[in-house]
Amino acid sequence: MAGANSTPRTSRFDQWRAGWRVSLRMARRDVRRHRGRSLLIVIMVGLPVLLLTAATTLWFTDDLDASERLPFQLGSSQGFVLEPQSTQLRQLLDPMSQTSWDGEPPASSPVPGLTKGDEKASLARLLGARLTEVTTTPATLRVGDHYQSGSVLGVELAHPEALAPRVSLEAGRWPTGPGEVLVTVQGLEHGLPASGTIGLGLLDPTGETPETAATVVGVGRGYDTQGSQYFQPTDLVTTPLTSDASQRQWLVDRGTPITWGEVERLNTYGIGVFSRYVAEHPETVTRQQEGEGGPSTTLLVVSVASLGLVLLTTLLAGPAFAVSAARQRRTLALAASNGATAGQLRRTVLAQALVLGVLSAVVGALLGVTGGVGAVAITRMVRPDLLYGPLQVPWAAVGLVAAAAIISSVVAAVIPSRGLGRLDVVSVLRGQSVSSPLRRRVPLVGVLVALAGAATVTWAAFTRPDYEFVLFLGGSVAIVVGSLLTVPLVLALVARTAHRLPLPVRMAAREAGRQRGRATPTVAAIMAGASALTVVCIGLEADTVRQARDHVPVVREGQAVIQGTTSPQRLPELARTVESSAPGVHTLVINDLVDYTQQQGAAMLAAMRPGCALPDVVPGPVGGDVATEPDTRCSTAASFARNFSGTSIQAVDLDQLTHFVGLTEEQRAAMSRGAVAVVDPLDVAQLPLPGPTGHLLRDIESLRPVTIDEDRGVATFALWRQRPGESDTTAPPRASDVRTLRLPVIHVPRDRWNRLVLIYNGSPAGIITTDSAIRLGLPVSPSGLIARADGGISTDLEARLGDAVIASQRDATFIVERGYQRDDTLALVVIFGVIGLIILVATLIATALSQTENAPLLGTLAAVGATKRTRRALAGSQALYLGMLGAVIGLLVGLAPGFGLARVVLTRVTEDGVPIQPENIPVPWLQILAPVLLVPLVAGALAWVSIRRAPVVVRRAT
């Protein structure tokens, strides 16, 4: 009976739960008691959550999935069918995607009763449905004197209510014929009027459709789609249009769906089908595309972003929890002296982190979702032409981000809580607080981990293994973790060598070395932002270099090219249009000496090479970027060699050439007598020889044309006429047909010669006048038109000349080559602004918390006579020192992942699959160093200003 009055023993789980319940209650009270410190932690943890959840909301709303696209593609119809083709189809879900046949596809079955021009009736009988014709036609739109390209959606409007939301009316009335149009919200954004009249010119293969006047009768929306993926808004909506360039389809309106079996049956008639039912039930599709893409990467992206959030938030929130643990040292020491275990002390700190983490995650997520919803609403009002789907808040992704923030808060508090197990109770109660001795193994392990991470990142960048992304991410995390373990050693080493520094900086360095437990999280928080900035800057610079490298200029930078699909014989007319619209602009019509009408008996001209027989005088493949020997020593320039850059002989008007290149009077006179103009051989002697494999010309300035052999300023040419029945231009002529010519040669400096390069015509090896070509009996075929201005072609002049050219020829374009230019400047500004804001906020908050912890020290200095200037210098030096140290370490930490990312971006892969590594990695030091140096200076200045008056010292134990 002795055990009847004994107290029942509680289980370990009950003790653990009771301990956490008490710790959480104390944490909630501590959060309310220290609102300022709690607010700072909420900002540190909640800011990344806010930004990520807002971006996620925008992303999911902007990204339309298949089910959200269907109403904009089909309205309320069951799908649409395309025009019948002459061969049978084997389409996939998308009618624009086909599986290949084993051999030639069989001819399609004839559609019963199908007649040209009356396809609708026969297709309606075949489908047993009411059809609505839809056309999409490219057009030139004129408003006043300004021309622009656009697209026109033509729709039968007998039942407009069934077309929404693919076609909808927002203001005004529906058009009743092709002379009336609706202007869409995209058209309004492109500068079209909401009322009045516009000029409408439909484009067709000839580009000669006359312009008609179209009256704007309303504002609406219209979308063009040809399959499941292609989906674009149009500029105008009207009734169906007829043009050779129009694409037609018919919406199917009936009560029964279009099944996959019916799609296969219609494919036998050569009819492509996009079915609503099949799109909603893709499992019914029996044919699958080879190499079909895997699942959506949305979850992967959100997961990676959440992992990054854990790492970033852990580093940002570290200083707050470190200072919080430091402020509670005395309270925790008293609890330890009264029997509290190390586990109970740790739970006290971790409970605060859990409470603040949950609060920060909830506040950040709610504000982020609210901000994302507000951004969507504002975007819809400011840019109604942008296509946003239904508002979609991805609560699963938001929950994942919030959970990551909570985990990061707890992880950030783990390190200071682990230090409580080695709490020196006596020293803390006496007011002495010094970091424990540095463990030599920890920095060594950190160095090894960082080196292993850098090696992993570098290896992944060079070899591109299967799990490249995972290895790259893991190596980057290892670099960060290893660097964090070495920060205490860096603080200690700098403190030992600080005797050469100025007094305030020396005191700051020694204080940080003495209080490493407090300084390390501050340095880590600043390091996080600086390393992220370094990686982003190097990656973007590499992307800019890659896109600039892959950019192929059409003409020399600053010049313009005039293009169109009509007959090349109209190029001289366009040249006169440009010159009359802007007298200061020089034009040049480039003529090929090839008969493109394929008539027999065309004359041919080729430069002779010493020691080479006439049959060997053929042009070899030439490129301008490989320093190898020519394909054959007898390769030369010829009138029929336009397929290879740097080998063709072309003809231009003498007056145009004189103004375009700047010929001297002597050179002009020589050209009028039949001379051939070539680039000065001394100017291109240092350039690589043309390569034998026809590499694509990318760098106009480094092109070296084929040399035309001269003897005392005269070159020998062979002239012959192709015999009837011979179609091969490279076939050697009969000796009896060849006439030998000796023509004078003039030299044009390379700087002016490169003005003649037109990328799709290549660089000429020689230029003669059109009069000389006619005298020699050579065919003259206009093939290109370029323009230049001595003072450069401004954007206003480009727009004016563009309107003049389009007015002369409907589908012509006037394009000025301005080199590669990024079109995502706004996005880059936002990215750099966010990263800079995170660095600045982390630095300021970490500095503020450190200054709060240093208040007793500043009070002691004031008590012994330190002036405000001295205390300001100390406060500013502490903020500047920690900020600069964290920025420098962050810069070093970000270099390895940045270099690895840049190497992946810049690596080129040949046609044989062989990777070509970049010779060097560009580093934008200015963009990296500016914020890295500026932010610590700003933090130091704010810390210096924050010291305003002498503190009141009531009592201090030390």
Side-chain angles (χ1 to χ4, degrees):
M1 298 298 293
N5 296 327
S6 62
T7 303
R9 296 183 59 184
T10 57
S11 65
R12 278 190 169 185
F13 176 76
D14 292 335
Q15 294 176 358
W16 177 85
R17 185 175 58 182
W20 270 105
R21 185 167 54 246
V22 174
S23 299
L24 290 173
R25 188 184 304 122
M26 293 174 60
R28 291 196 297 269
R29 292 177 179 175
D30 188 76
V31 168
R32 290 194 297 268
R33 185 179 298 113
H34 302 93
R35 292 186 178 89
R37 188 183 70 221
S38 301
L39 178 61
L40 293 180
I41 296 177
V42 169
I43 294 175
M44 297 283 273
V45 179
L47 181 61
V49 176
L50 186 153
L51 296 175
L52 192 55
T53 52
T56 304
T57 302
L58 277 171
W59 180 20
F60 274 77
T61 301
D62 177 61
D63 184 26
L64 297 178
D65 57 27
S67 61
E68 292 173 335
R69 285 197 303 266
L70 281 177
F72 295 98
Q73 295 173 313
L74 304 177
S76 59
S77 69
Q78 297 291 349
F80 62 74
V81 294
L82 303 178
E83 290 190 78
Q85 304 297 313
S86 59
T87 59
Q88 295 186 23
L89 306 179
R90 297 183 64 186
Q91 75 165 73
L92 303 172
L93 183 149
D94 189 336
M96 308 305 293
S97 300
Q98 309 286 331
T99 57
S100 58
W101 293 84
D102 296 331
E104 292 294 328
S108 59
S109 302
V111 178
L114 180 66
T115 57
K116 187 66 175 178
D118 191 25
E119 295 88 351
K120 177 182 176 181
S122 56
L123 291 175
R125 289 191 297 270
L126 181 65
L127 290 162
R130 184 184 69 192
L131 301 185
T132 300
E133 184 179 359
V134 179
T135 63
T136 305
T137 310
T140 300
L141 314 176
R142 180 181 59 82
V143 180
D145 295 330
H146 176 65
Y147 290 83
Q148 67 183 55
S149 299
S151 59
V152 182
L153 185 69
V155 187
E156 285 185 315
L157 298 172
H159 304 280
E161 67 281 352
L163 300 173
R166 179 173 182 179
V167 180
S168 59
L169 178 66
E170 297 189 356
R173 62 176 177 84
W174 292 104
T176 58
E180 296 180 341
V181 295
L182 292 180
V183 173
T184 66
V185 290
Q186 173 174 275
L188 294 176
E189 187 67 24
H190 290 171
L192 299 181
S195 61
T197 304
I198 62 176
L200 177 61
L202 303 181
L203 298 184
D204 59 20
T206 65
E208 298 296 331
T209 303
E211 179 183 294
T212 59
T215 303
V216 179
V217 297
V219 177
R221 294 178 182 269
Y223 300 97
D224 172 35
T225 180
Q226 301 299 322
S228 63
Q229 301 300 321
Y230 180 78
F231 174 46
Q232 294 292 334
T234 60
D235 296 287
L236 298 176
V237 176
T238 185
T239 55
L241 300 174
T242 301
S243 170
D244 291 338
S246 297
Q247 294 180 323
R248 289 196 300 172
Q249 59 184 231
W250 291 268
L251 295 175
V252 179
D253 185 12
R254 69 184 193 186
T256 58
I258 305 174
T259 63
W260 177 248
E262 187 173 4
V263 170
E264 292 183 311
R265 181 177 68 87
L266 292 172
N267 282 176
T268 62
Y269 293 99
I271 300 173
V273 186
F274 181 50
S275 165
R276 179 190 296 272
Y277 177 83
V278 174
E280 293 174 344
H281 302 83
E283 68 278 0
T284 61
V285 179
T286 58
R287 287 193 291 263
Q288 298 297 327
Q289 186 175 12
E290 296 180 3
E292 192 171 6
S296 173
T297 58
T298 299
L299 181 60
L300 175 62
V301 173
V302 174
S303 301
V304 171
S306 300
L307 178 60
L309 177 67
V310 171
L311 185 60
L312 178 63
T313 308
T314 299
L315 298 177
L316 293 178
F321 293 117
V323 171
S324 177
R327 290 176 65 88
Q328 298 180 76
R329 278 192 300 263
R330 185 174 180 81
T331 302
L332 297 176
L334 288 173
S337 65
N338 284 277
T341 63
Q344 292 172 330
L345 300 181
R346 293 192 187 101
R347 278 198 296 269
T348 303
V349 177
L350 294 177
Q352 291 183 359
L354 182 60
V355 171
L356 288 173
V358 172
L359 178 63
S360 303
V362 172
V363 171
L366 292 178
L367 292 179
V369 170
T370 303
V373 173
V376 170
I378 294 174
T379 303
R380 283 175 170 165
M381 288 189 298
V382 176
R383 292 291 305 276
D385 58 305
L386 296 180
L387 182 61
Y388 272 85
L391 180 64
Q392 186 175 355
V393 179
W395 293 112
V398 171
L400 183 60
V401 171
I406 296 172
I407 294 173
S408 64
S409 300
V410 177
V411 172
V414 168
I415 296 178
S417 68
R418 295 290 298 177
L420 297 176
R422 302 184 301 271
L423 187 66
D424 189 342
V425 177
V426 177
S427 297
V428 172
L429 293 177
R430 291 178 58 188
Q432 298 174 346
S433 177
V434 180
S435 297
S436 57
L438 185 65
R439 294 183 176 182
R440 297 181 179 179
R441 295 180 181 178
V442 174
L444 179 60
V445 172
V447 171
L448 295 177
V449 172
L451 291 177
T456 301
V457 168
T458 305
W459 178 78
F462 271 98
T463 59
R464 309 291 295 273
D466 294 337
Y467 298 97
E468 169 193 358
F469 179 77
V470 176
L471 292 174
F472 191 88
L473 185 62
S476 302
V477 173
I479 294 174
V480 174
V481 173
S483 301
L484 288 176
L485 297 178
T486 62
V487 170
L489 176 61
V490 174
L491 292 171
L493 292 177
V494 175
R496 290 185 180 181
T497 59
H499 58 278
R500 298 181 180 274
L501 300 176
L503 179 61
V505 182
R506 186 192 317 160
M507 294 181 64
R510 289 179 175 175
E511 177 71 10
R514 197 168 62 92
Q515 299 290 347
R516 294 187 301 275
R518 185 182 66 217
T520 298
T522 302
V523 173
I526 302 169
M527 182 194 76
S531 60
L533 177 68
T534 302
V535 174
V536 171
C537 285
I538 296 177
L540 286 176
E541 181 69 13
D543 181 65
T544 301
V545 171
R546 178 185 62 82
Q547 295 194 50
R549 179 194 66 195
D550 295 341
H551 172 74
V552 179
V554 179
V555 289
R556 197 179 191 189
E557 188 168 342
Q559 295 182 187
V561 60
I562 297 90
Q563 297 173 320
T565 59
T566 58
S567 170
Q569 303 302 326
R570 292 198 59 184
L571 291 178
E573 178 186 340
L574 290 175
R576 290 189 293 270
T577 299
V578 171
E579 291 178 348
S580 61
S581 302
V585 176
H586 309 298
T587 62
L588 184 69
V589 177
I590 300 175
N591 300 276
D592 291 334
L593 303 180
V594 178
D595 185 7
Y596 292 112
T597 62
Q598 296 183 348
Q599 295 180 0
Q600 302 297 327
M604 299 183 183
L605 181 70
M608 300 293 292
R609 301 296 304 271
C612 293
L614 184 59
D616 296 328
V617 182
V618 293
V622 174
D625 58 347
V626 178
T628 57
E629 291 295 328
D631 189 33
T632 169
R633 67 181 184 86
C634 291
S635 295
T636 188
S639 62
F640 49 86
R642 69 177 300 271
N643 291 334
F644 305 111
S645 245
T647 62
S648 61
I649 299 176
Q650 296 173 321
V652 297
D653 180 77
L654 179 57
D655 291 334
Q656 290 183 345
L657 180 66
T658 300
H659 294 95
F660 204 86
V661 176
L663 297 179
T664 65
E665 290 297 330
E666 182 180 356
Q667 289 175 328
R668 177 183 171 87
M671 291 290 293
S672 66
R673 294 192 299 267
V676 180
V678 299
V679 65
D680 191 335
L682 296 178
D683 289 348
V684 297
Q686 77 283 4
L687 297 178
L689 291 172
T693 55
H695 296 286
L696 177 64
L697 170 66
R698 292 186 181 274
D699 186 3
I700 293 176
E701 302 300 328
S702 65
L703 176 68
R704 179 176 178 175
V706 167
T707 301
I708 295 179
D709 296 284
E710 307 173 36
D711 182 14
R712 299 179 183 179
V714 178
T716 302
F717 290 84
L719 177 67
W720 70 92
R721 187 173 296 276
Q722 187 180 17
R723 291 197 174 197
E726 294 180 351
S727 59
D728 185 6
T729 59
T730 63
R734 295 178 176 86
S736 58
D737 295 337
V738 177
R739 173 188 169 193
T740 302
L741 302 175
R742 289 181 60 80
L743 302 177
V745 178
I746 68 169
H747 295 165
V748 179
R750 179 168 65 98
D751 181 64
R752 286 183 283 164
W753 179 265
N754 287 341
R755 298 174 183 175
L756 304 173
V757 178
L758 183 57
I759 198 66
Y760 50 78
N761 271 349
S763 172
I767 291 289
I768 62 175
T769 66
T770 51
D771 291 339
S772 298
I774 293 173
R775 285 197 302 267
L776 296 174
L778 297 170
V780 177
S781 301
S783 61
L785 174 58
I786 52 181
R788 57 170 291 271
D790 294 332
I793 302 177
S794 64
T795 54
D796 293 338
L797 181 58
E798 179 184 3
R800 180 155 55 90
L801 291 176
D803 290 337
V805 166
I806 296 177
S808 176
Q809 180 175 317
R810 192 64 45 75
D811 67 338
T813 56
F814 185 88
I815 305 172
V816 178
E817 176 60 52
R818 304 193 185 278
Y820 168 71
Q821 296 178 345
R822 293 198 72 102
D823 57 357
D824 52 358
T825 304
L826 179 60
L828 297 182
V829 170
V830 172
I831 291 174
F832 283 112
V834 170
I835 295 177
L837 177 64
I838 290 176
I839 296 177
L840 183 59
V841 170
T843 304
L844 294 180
I845 292 180
T847 302
L849 293 172
S850 297
Q851 291 302 313
T852 302
E853 184 68 11
N854 281 335
L857 175 61
L858 296 178
T860 301
L861 293 176
V864 299
T867 64
K868 182 169 63 174
R869 178 178 297 180
T870 302
R871 289 180 283 108
R872 278 182 167 178
L874 177 60
S877 298
Q878 288 178 331
L880 177 63
Y881 170 73
L882 293 178
M884 193 67 70
L885 187 63
V888 171
I889 296 177
L891 171 62
L892 298 176
V893 168
L895 286 179
F899 284 155
L901 178 61
R903 187 169 296 279
V904 171
V905 171
L906 293 174
T907 297
R908 290 186 293 177
V909 180
T910 64
E911 296 180 356
D912 299 331
V914 179
I916 302 176
Q917 299 289 340
E919 296 180 358
N920 54 67
I921 303 296
V923 180
W925 291 113
L926 179 61
Q927 293 89 328
I928 295 175
L929 294 178
V932 165
L933 297 177
L934 184 61
V935 170
L937 291 175
V938 172
L942 292 177
W944 188 86
V945 172
S946 65
I947 305 300
R948 296 186 176 182
R949 59 187 178 85
V952 178
V953 180
V954 179
R955 177 180 179 273
R956 185 177 178 185
T958 57

